[in-house]
Amino acid sequence: MAAPSADLRIEGVSKRFGEVLALDGVALDITSGELLTILGPSGSGKTTLLKVVAGFEKADSGSVRIDGAEVTALPPARRDIGMVFQNYALFPHLTVAGNVAFPLEMRNIGRAEIDRRVSEALALVELAGYDRRLPKQLSGGQQQRVALARAIVFKPRLLLLDEPFGALDRKLRETMQLEVRRLQRRLGLTTIFITHDQEEALVLSDRIAVMNKGTIQQVAGTTEIYERPANDFVADFVGESNIFHGTMTAPGVVNLEGGRRLSVNSTTQPGARVGVLMRPERFGGGTNSFAGEVKEAVYLGASFKLRLACDDGLELIVRQSARGALPIPGTRVSVGIDPESIHVF
Ligand code: ATP
């Protein structure tokens, strides 16, 4: 069931709702067969962008091209896009098979072909044998699988998923994430997946586009986003972080506000104002050392998370693998971090 998958080009898309500028000149390219997640906080414009791509919302300016062809003026039904939303939106009175068949019936496809494709789609989402059930006889995860089957059964050129697993419990959500990834790879289907959950974005994506206030902050592969965020917003939104600001005073040296000096591995010119990011799990032994007092310690199963008040006034979040006893508040500790583990932006 290989689909002819499309590439997508979004250029200069803006959309205003009264006072709110929901999209502010968004540009994004998605290549054929890619899974891109749009990650951002509530209200950052993710759903609005997806609606513009699908044709449910008209942009004030800008263009959307699928395989080079402008679709800005096409109605949703003519764009050949499969969609899944958070609230299943299955037809409650139709059986599973009826729901999945629906987009094919809209396209006047013959009965035998419909039956064949419905079975194929249900098998792909591992619901073979469920065709005669009604949605209310299914669990939440199963309902979302039906929605997924319905979104891919007509071989769309693009698949858009808007927080599809938001209502599922954590375990099921993780299973579904892996299933979507497997299905998407198998079909080679160009996919945009919206989420506000950074872990979900890291698990699923080829690339992540981080959005804030209607703008794209950074588009990059998962490692790049986590290890080398472009700015404070991305560093803070994706993962836990210690972010400080300062000035490059010499090659490889940053003076932080407050006076602390850090050795970093960066070619940024002396004199430049910079941000530095130190991930909590990167502390151990290292040439930049910090001594201080544990203010708070939390046991997280695989690791301890410590809040340290350092003697030079900095406050750090540090993760240590959970061995021995959890340090009690007041304990003095010292930790270090290597220049290579500090990201300068
Ligand atoms: P969430 O994760 O909460 O779904 P989001 O990132 O998808 O958020 P959008 O739903 O795209 O954000 O909304 C972006 C902004 O546009 C918000 O401030 C929202 O209130 C506003 N907005 C969206 N749709 C409308 C509308 N139809 N009328 C007025 N304002 C709207």
Side-chain angles (χ1 to χ4, degrees), residues 321-338:
S321 59
R323 281 196 205 96
L326 182 69
I328 55 168
T331 309
R332 288 204 51 88
V333 293
S334 77
V335 293
I337 188 166
D338 279 323

Side-chain angles (χ1 to χ4, degrees), residues 17 20 22 40-49 57 163 194 196:
F17 296 107
V20 179
S42 183
S44 55
K46 306 180 297 293
T47 298
T48 305
L49 182 60
E57 203 67 81
E163 306 244 8
I194 287 190
H196 61 264

Side-chain angles (χ1 to χ4, degrees), residues 104 109-119:
L104 301 175
I109 292 171
R111 194 71 240 169
E113 175 70 4
I114 289 182
D115 290 345
R116 194 185 64 73
R117 288 224 226 153
V118 167
S119 307

